[in-house]
Amino acid sequence: DGGITQSPKYLFRKEGQNVTLSCEQNLNHDAMYWYRQDPGQGLRLIYYSQIVNDFQKGDIAEGYSVSREKKESFPLTVTSAQKNPTAFYLCASSQRLAGRTDTQYFGPGTRLTVL
Amino acid sequence: AQSVAQPEDQVNVAEGNPLTVKCTYSVSGNPYLFWYVQYPNRGLQFLLKYITGDNLVKGSYGFEAEFNKSQTSFHLKKPSALVSDSALYFCAVVKNMDSNYQLIWGAGTKLIIKP
């Protein structure tokens, strides 16, 4: 099956802890994205990457970090510097970053709750 | 500023009736528009997109969308609603910025189909 997987589905974090959310795709897509979704708001872009070992900050990158060591993988770390991390996190991929007509495909999401 | 608006937080429709979910946009240059659907605690699923050509775009699950350049709108429609269409719907437009293209997301419209 082709697609995007995210793990875990639910994640609980204590204040002051860093946590890492996994995102893997087998679509052979170049571009990958991380979004944050809060109730009543549209998706907000955290980070994106168009190639291995390269990534760019999105609109709300503060308190987050990413890596892109493999084409298939784009993990997101939520650090203790993120003041309000409780949210639903979505990973997506598309064929190209610069392809303005390319469709983004989404994983099932990870719901992070800070205790 | 480039933006997208979904003016209705919620739309209620009786099963079997036609449905419309509204979306308006403001971008520089040609608009590239997308509709996605999200079921509870799930990732987003791509429904359809407008790139160029015919103003009526057909997509998945019997949905279609009408592009209207003069009204800068891209409303999602379905001739006969199903209870299973109840979900959160997002409109997005490509934001033109330098050499890469990001999506601007609407806040979402909750569609409720009543039996």
Side-chain angles (χ1 to χ4, degrees), chain A residues 54-96:
Chain A
D54 180 72
F55 45 83
Q56 305 295 328
K57 293 181 178 180
D59 300 322
I60 57 164
E62 185 176 352
Y64 300 97
S65 65
V66 293
S67 63
R68 186 89 185 273
E69 297 178 1
K70 298 185 300 181
K71 185 176 183 177
E72 304 80 22
S73 178
F74 191 41
L76 173 74
T77 297
V78 184
T79 75
S80 57
Q82 169 51 233
K83 299 303 180 188
N84 184 23
T86 295
F88 192 50
Y89 290 87
L90 289 160
C91 179
S93 72
S94 65
Q95 189 66 52
R96 304 162 294 170

Side-chain angles (χ1 to χ4, degrees), chain B residues 103-114:
Chain B
L103 289 175
I104 307 171
W105 294 86
T109 298
K110 186 176 184 180
L111 178 64
I112 298 176
I113 309 299
K114 297 184 177 180

